[in-house]
Amino acid sequence: MAAGKRQRGGAGHGNAAGPKRKRAKRAPEAKAEKEDREAPAGEAGPEEHHIPAPVSQGKWKNKERVLIFSSRGINFRTRHLMKDLRTLMPHSKADTKMDRKDKLFVINEVCEMKNCNKCIFFEAKKKQDLYIWLSNAPHGPSAKFLVQNIHTLAELKMTGNCLRGSRPILSFDPTFDRQPHYALLKELFIQIFSTPQYHPKSQPFVDHVFTFSVTDNRIWFRNYQIVEEDTALVEIGPRFVLNLIKIFQGSFGGPTLYENPHYQSPNMHRRAIRLATAAKFKEKQQMKDLQKLTKKEEKVLIPQDPTEQVFDVPAEEKPVTIELVKPEPKINLKKKKKPHQRARKLKKKLGGIGE
C-alpha cells in the first residue's frame, strides 16, 4: 500500500524516526526592517539609519551599445586589437566581417539590426594600411583615422592587470579643450569608450584608466591600471596611435567638417621614401661617372719654370785621363789562393802560349 498523505500540523507530520524540523531564525536586520514597515508614519523604528542597496542593483539608463567589427583583408594584429577592445568594453557587440565591395552606408543598417547606436569599424587596404571609423549611427558625426604603431595585449606582456568588465576613467589631454575639432572628438570618445553605469555585463569597480594624449598632431591611446596602495599607474595595453584624416557630419559620409592639413597618406609616405633612396643612388652614380671623366682627361703640362736653376751649384770639372795599361785585377779577399796553385796556373797559361 502506498503511504498515506502527511497532514501539516497533524500527528502524521512528526516522525518518530527523525527529529522535528526547526525554522531558521531571521537576521536582526530583517526584523528591524519588518518593524519599520509595521510602525506608523509618525513613529521612528529602532534603527533610524537606512543601509543603501548595492551599486550593482541600480537601474541601467544609459543604453549605449557599440558595434565593433571590420572589413575583410585585416591581418592578425588588427584581429587581436579588435578582440582586446571587445574585452575592455563590456557594452560592445560583434558582427561578421563586411565585404569590401559593400559601401560604408550599409554599416548604419547593420547597427540598426544589432540595436547599436555607436560603431567602431576597422577598414583594411592593400593588406598593410589600417583605417578606423568612429561613428555615431545613424545621424553622425563620424571620424576617420589612420591607425599606426599597434601593440596588442598579448604582444606587450605588461605587468598591469584589471578586472574584466570594470568601468574605466577617461583621461584627456588639455589640447582637447582648446580646439573645436578636438572637443568634438573628445565627446565622441566619451560616448564610445565609457562603460554605461549599471550595465548588466559591467562590474561596479573602477580600476583602470584610458588616456588620450595629443603629441605630434596625433592621438595616442594608452590603458593603465590604478594600483590601490600608492595610486600609481601601471600600463596594461593595448596601445595604438590615431592619425586624424577627416571629420564628417553624417555617419560614414556627408559634408566634411574638418580635414587634417598635417596628414600624409601611406602611399605618399612610401613614395617619398622610394624617391629619397633613388636620389641617393643617382648621386652615387654621378660621382662615379665624374671620376671616370677626370681620369680620361689629358693632364695639363706645367711650363718650365725659369727660376728652377737659380740655386743649382755647378760641379767641379775633373781632368779626363786615358789609361793605356790594363789595370791590375782586384784580389778577391774571400777566396785567397795558395802560391803553388797560382804557379801551376801560370805554367799552364805559358805552356799553352808556346805551343
Side-chain angles (χ1 to χ4, degrees):
M1 285 180 70
K5 291 183 179 179
R6 295 179 181 177
Q7 295 178 359
R8 293 202 173 193
H13 184 68
N15 193 1
K20 280 188 175 183
R21 292 182 182 175
K22 293 183 179 179
R23 289 185 180 180
K25 290 184 179 180
R26 286 188 179 181
E29 291 86 355
K31 284 184 180 179
E33 286 178 10
K34 188 177 180 183
E35 288 172 4
D36 289 344
R37 286 193 220 107
E38 290 174 356
E43 298 177 6
E47 292 184 8
E48 293 182 359
H49 65 276
H50 177 66
I51 300 169
V55 181
S56 58
Q57 292 182 1
K59 192 176 181 181
W60 177 33
K61 294 181 181 178
N62 183 12
K63 302 293 180 75
E64 292 282 353
R65 298 182 183 89
V66 183
L67 180 65
I68 303 176
F69 72 119
S70 68
S71 65
R72 296 195 180 277
I74 60 170
N75 55 10
F76 71 97
R77 196 184 295 273
T78 309
R79 190 171 64 252
H80 283 281
L81 176 63
M82 204 163 48
K83 186 180 176 183
D84 294 342
L85 289 178
R86 286 172 185 164
T87 307
L88 292 171
M89 299 164 65
H91 61 292
S92 64
K93 287 188 176 183
D95 195 26
T96 55
K97 293 178 182 177
M98 198 179 77
D99 197 3
R100 290 180 184 176
K101 295 178 182 177
D102 295 339
K103 293 185 178 180
L104 295 175
F105 292 103
V106 182
I107 300 173
N108 295 324
E109 298 176 7
V110 177
C111 291
E112 189 177 353
M113 287 189 290
K114 287 282 182 178
N115 196 18
C116 296
N117 51 4
K118 298 289 183 293
C119 181
I120 298 176
F121 178 67
F122 292 91
E123 186 182 8
K125 290 185 178 180
K126 294 188 176 182
K127 295 186 179 180
Q128 55 184 345
D129 302 330
L130 178 65
Y131 299 91
I132 187 171
W133 286 82
L134 303 180
S135 174
N136 181 20
H139 303 296
S142 59
K144 186 180 180 182
F145 300 90
L146 173 69
V147 188
Q148 297 171 324
N149 303 335
I150 301 172
H151 298 283
T152 59
L153 275 169
E155 182 186 358
L156 286 174
K157 295 181 181 177
M158 294 288 185
T159 54
N161 196 4
C162 65
L163 188 68
R164 186 188 181 98
S166 61
R167 300 178 65 220
I169 296 173
L170 301 184
S171 172
F172 290 93
D173 194 271
T175 315
F176 282 93
D177 298 327
R178 293 173 191 158
Q179 300 182 20
H181 64 279
Y182 279 129
L184 177 62
L185 291 176
K186 179 182 177 180
E187 187 62 32
L188 194 62
F189 288 147
I190 290 171
Q191 294 183 16
I192 289 175
F193 288 97
S194 61
T195 304
Q197 196 174 13
Y198 307 128
H199 192 277
K201 292 183 181 179
S202 67
Q203 299 290 340
F205 306 104
V206 177
D207 58 354
H208 63 288
V209 186
F210 289 162
T211 63
F212 299 88
S213 54
V214 179
T215 308
D216 194 21
N217 298 312
R218 290 170 174 81
I219 300 170
W220 300 66
F221 175 86
R222 295 288 184 272
N223 181 22
Y224 295 98
Q225 176 198 355
I226 304 171
V227 183
E228 293 182 4
E229 289 79 11
D230 53 353
T231 63
L233 297 179
V234 182
E235 189 169 358
I236 305 170
R239 56 162 70 166
F240 52 88
V241 180
L242 299 176
N243 191 359
L244 178 63
I245 303 172
K246 282 183 181 181
I247 299 175
F248 299 97
Q249 186 177 350
S251 179
F252 297 98
T256 304
L257 299 178
Y258 176 78
E259 186 174 357
N260 187 8
H262 306 286
Y263 171 72
Q264 186 183 28
S265 66
N267 291 334
M268 293 298 293
H269 180 65
R270 286 190 286 267
R271 183 171 177 271
I273 292 171
R274 286 198 302 270
L275 288 174
T277 311
K280 196 180 287 185
F281 179 73
K282 281 181 182 177
E283 190 178 354
K284 284 184 180 179
Q285 285 295 113
Q286 288 175 359
M287 289 298 294
K288 285 181 181 178
D289 296 341
L290 186 63
Q291 287 175 358
K292 286 180 182 178
L293 288 172
T294 51
K295 284 180 181 179
K296 288 180 181 178
E297 287 179 359
E298 294 181 359
K299 293 181 180 179
V300 180
L301 295 174
I302 300 170
Q304 191 174 3
D305 190 5
T307 60
E308 279 185 355
Q309 300 177 358
V310 171
F311 300 101
D312 289 349
V313 180
E316 294 180 359
E317 293 183 4
K318 295 180 179 180
V320 180
T321 54
I322 298 169
E323 293 182 358
L324 301 173
V325 183
K326 185 180 179 182
E328 293 182 359
K330 292 180 180 180
I331 300 168
N332 193 358
L333 299 173
K334 290 181 181 179
K335 286 186 177 182
K336 286 187 177 180
K337 293 183 180 180
K338 294 179 181 179
H340 64 272
Q341 289 178 351
R342 288 180 201 159
R344 200 179 298 162
K345 269 190 176 184
L346 285 169
K347 281 182 182 179
K348 281 183 181 179
K349 284 181 182 179
L350 293 170
I353 294 166
E355 291 175 359

